[in-house]
Amino acid sequence: MKRSDLQHKARQYINGRWETGVTTGISRNPSDTGEVVAEYARADRSQAERAIRAAADAFASWSHSTPQRRADALDQIGSEILARKDELGLLLAREEGKPLPEAVAEAARAGQIFKFFAGEALRSPGETVASLRPGVQVDVTREPVGVVGLITPWNFPYAIPAWKIAPALAFGNSVVFKPSELVPACGWALAEIISRAALPAGAFNLLMGSGREVGQAIVEHPAVDALSFTGSVPVGERLLQAGAARRARLQLEMGGKNPLVVMADADLERAVECALQGAFFSAGQRCTASSRLIVESSVHDSFVARLRQRMAALKVGHALEPGIEIGPVVDGPQLQRNLDAVQAAREEGAEHVWGGDLLQRASPGHYMSPALFLAQPEHRVARDEIFGPVACVLRADDYEHALQLANDTPFGLCAGICTRSLAHATHFRRHAKVGMTMVNLPTAGVDYHVPFGGRKASSYGPREQGRQAAEFYTVTKTGYMQA
Ligand code: TXE
């Protein structure tokens, strides 16, 4: 097959119809930048306006559809994604650069998420409560919020949209979805599957285009009742200001600078694997990545030596090449930010242990070796989210010091500890100021049927995923009645 045969033509999906855009954009393969993966239609403000209006109109019927209808639609979407996971995974690997097996697994995860929320659609949450007054009945029911704007990043182009779109539709909301400009074909492929489910026209809309134009139009529109965003801290902060000013319901998932504590009593081999996996897989492009490795003094040197040895053996290369463990980073600007962070770490006096170099491979791509530094807590490499394969090690005197270092960050997404001590594990789970804790596991890698989210600068609003997703995608109504 010629490369041009593999090029996708991605269009907007507005009010049940496929539309071209005013302009077009392209996405490229980060493993081989000469390869155009998709040519996609870029929406403008007037298309965004029409999509939002269509969603508002569709809300009347979709919000009153039966749970069975919603469950069937989501189940159908989930089944098709699962049946096509290899093809979808290939597209993801080409467009985002995730190694193929991981990309296929992400596609499957998206299918499972739709299946999970098909079940949740049938379990409409609510409760009946005894009233304080005789003869009065009280019930608390949940209703859909309205039109939800879903703005997503590039690092999980199927899973993150799935864990926003599926609960939104399951509870009867209508959706305006804007994927990242870097992964339009993945967003379009998902929309193409959703378009075949029996949804009313306008209940689901896809808008591709720039954050500043199309994203902003969604954020500012008064008919968009709720906004769920995953992405960078600065954009999230802007959304918070603009959304709150017009009283939109908000859910923001932003950065992380997640600690993995390694205690002297840990199984060191396992701790090294947790660190390697958590810090460098997916090229460090996960908000749950372990970018701060906090190691108790007595095992510090042997941990670093073993980790360095494992890093040196990591296979970095083209996302479709068998055996590759780490693909390219997503694009040129991200690669440059990573290399700048490596340079800044050297300049601020962090001790370089391994990597951080530009790599040449057979195809021109955004390749770099994973980097490790020994840092001080005040170093920027230990404080700023880099979102690349760059991690640092901080030395801790004892458990209390390790916990203090773990919490010494503006972020609070997740935190891990490797230890054989039940006392330390239990204390850490209770005292880490985060939304998710991991014991003897990498910080990255979560289940889809339980809440996901953090504290402090990492997250704002109710949690995503699991049964708790209903908190954001429904509003509570309290009903009192006397017969
Ligand atoms: O994020 P952006 P990008 C971080 C990470 C990365 C950086 C840039 O540090 O290096 O963000 O990635 C849309 N109004 N994370 O550029 O810019 C945009 O079009 C409305 C962390 O992807 O925040 C895209 O759809 N929308 C993160 C989405 O917001 C706007 C995952 C995210 O874009 C907008 C990804 C605006 N003014 C990146 N500007 C994590 N924590 O998982 C942009 N957008």
Side-chain angles (χ1 to χ4, degrees):
M1 194 181 285
K2 297 199 305 290
R3 269 187 184 168
S4 55
D5 296 336
L6 284 168
Q7 207 183 97
H8 296 269
K9 301 262 187 248
R11 288 182 293 164
Q12 323 285 337
Y13 188 64
I14 300 173
N15 201 18
R17 280 194 292 272
W18 293 101
E19 290 191 16
T20 54
V22 178
T23 56
T24 54
I26 54 167
S27 63
R28 289 181 181 278
N29 184 343
S31 298
D32 185 353
T33 53
E35 183 186 336
V36 173
V37 177
E39 187 185 287
Y40 69 100
R42 291 172 69 89
D44 62 2
R45 277 194 172 250
S46 77
Q47 280 178 312
E49 170 77 28
R50 279 197 294 110
I52 294 165
R53 289 285 162 219
D57 291 346
F59 182 67
S61 72
W62 184 241
S63 61
H64 292 288
S65 59
T66 62
Q68 187 67 59
R69 180 173 175 198
R70 285 180 264 130
D72 288 347
L74 292 179
D75 191 59
Q76 181 187 325
I77 296 166
S79 296
E80 186 171 341
I81 294 173
L82 285 168
R84 292 173 54 191
K85 66 179 171 35
D86 293 328
E87 167 206 340
L88 292 167
L90 177 63
L91 175 59
L92 166 46
R94 289 174 61 225
E95 197 169 50
E96 196 259 0
K98 203 166 276 184
L100 186 59
E102 270 181 69
V104 171
E106 183 183 331
R109 167 63 61 107
Q112 288 159 340
I113 290 170
F114 274 95
K115 294 264 183 189
F116 174 82
F117 282 106
E120 289 301 284
L122 296 175
R123 275 185 287 274
S124 303
E127 56 181 335
T128 304
V129 185
S131 169
L132 303 176
R133 287 165 284 170
V136 174
Q137 288 177 17
V138 188
D139 61 23
V140 184
T141 52
R142 286 184 173 269
E143 296 182 359
V145 180
V147 176
V148 299
L150 306 178
I151 298 177
T152 58
W154 44 265
N155 59 334
F156 288 93
Y158 296 136
I160 294 178
W163 79 52
K164 295 183 194 291
I165 296 167
L169 294 175
F171 296 117
N173 301 282
S174 37
V175 169
V176 178
F177 163 47
K178 195 204 89 63
S180 159
E181 300 91 305
L182 296 182
V183 288
C186 290
W188 161 81
L190 209 50
E192 209 261 324
I193 291 172
I194 296 170
S195 76
R196 275 195 293 283
L199 304 174
F204 171 83
N205 303 274
L206 166 74
L207 291 172
M208 291 169 294
S210 86
R212 274 176 200 280
E213 190 173 9
V214 180
Q216 197 81 29
I218 297 170
V219 171
E220 289 169 357
H221 203 291
V224 177
D225 303 285
L227 291 162
S228 181
F229 165 85
T230 302
S232 64
V233 176
V235 174
E237 294 288 340
R238 279 207 291 280
L239 251 83
L240 178 58
Q241 303 300 328
R246 62 173 190 81
R247 295 189 183 81
R249 182 173 277 235
L250 293 170
Q251 179 180 60
L252 311 173
E253 291 298 342
M254 300 170 284
K257 192 72 185 175
N258 309 293
L260 177 71
V261 169
V262 178
M263 297 301 296
D265 63 9
D267 172 340
L268 214 54
E269 204 165 311
R270 188 157 164 186
V272 167
E273 289 311 310
C274 287
L276 192 82
Q277 219 277 0
F280 305 120
F281 279 48
S282 296
Q285 300 172 142
R286 296 185 286 193
C287 48
T288 49
S290 345
S291 44
R292 293 184 301 139
L293 309 170
I294 299 167
V295 185
E296 196 172 0
S297 214
S298 60
V299 291
H300 177 279
D301 293 355
S302 54
F303 173 86
V304 172
R306 286 193 200 201
L307 182 58
R308 181 184 190 278
Q309 200 178 19
R310 286 290 286 117
M311 288 174 72
L314 282 174
K315 294 195 176 67
V316 181
H318 196 297
L320 300 186
E321 204 178 304
I324 285 301
E325 293 167 289
I326 298 181
V329 303
V330 73
D331 68 356
Q334 184 67 54
L335 178 65
Q336 193 53 53
R337 280 198 292 278
N338 297 346
L339 296 174
D340 289 348
V342 167
Q343 181 62 23
R346 288 177 189 271
E347 283 168 10
E348 67 187 338
E351 188 181 325
H352 178 248
V353 177
W354 177 259
D357 303 313
L358 205 55
L359 298 177
Q360 301 298 326
R361 291 291 179 264
S363 54
H366 308 300
Y367 301 108
M368 69 176 282
S369 54
L372 187 68
F373 287 91
L374 307 183
Q376 297 301 319
E378 64 278 11
H379 285 152
R380 282 181 52 199
V381 70
R383 306 208 72 82
D384 300 346
E385 184 184 49
I386 297 167
F387 220 63
V390 183
C392 67
V393 179
L394 300 169
R395 189 187 282 267
D397 302 333
D398 52 21
Y399 170 74
E400 279 69 31
H401 187 210
L403 178 64
Q404 181 257 315
L405 289 171
N407 285 331
D408 177 24
T409 168
F411 295 107
L413 188 55
C414 59
I417 186 168
C418 292
T419 181
R420 287 193 177 96
S421 156
L422 187 58
H424 285 153
T426 308
H427 190 273
F428 188 82
R429 281 157 60 97
R430 175 68 186 83
H431 293 271
K433 294 195 179 83
V434 292
M436 298 177 286
T437 60
M438 316 280 178
V439 176
N440 297 321
L441 289 166
T443 56
V446 295
D447 290 357
Y448 62 81
H449 64 313
V450 286
F452 177 94
R455 299 186 191 178
K456 303 199 280 188
S458 290
S459 304
Y460 181 86
R463 291 282 184 262
E464 304 204 74
Q465 303 203 65
R467 276 170 42 212
Q468 286 73 7
E471 296 291 325
F472 179 72
Y473 291 101
T474 62
V475 281
T476 322
K477 185 180 273 179
T478 311
Y480 296 89
M481 186 163 68
Q482 185 153 37

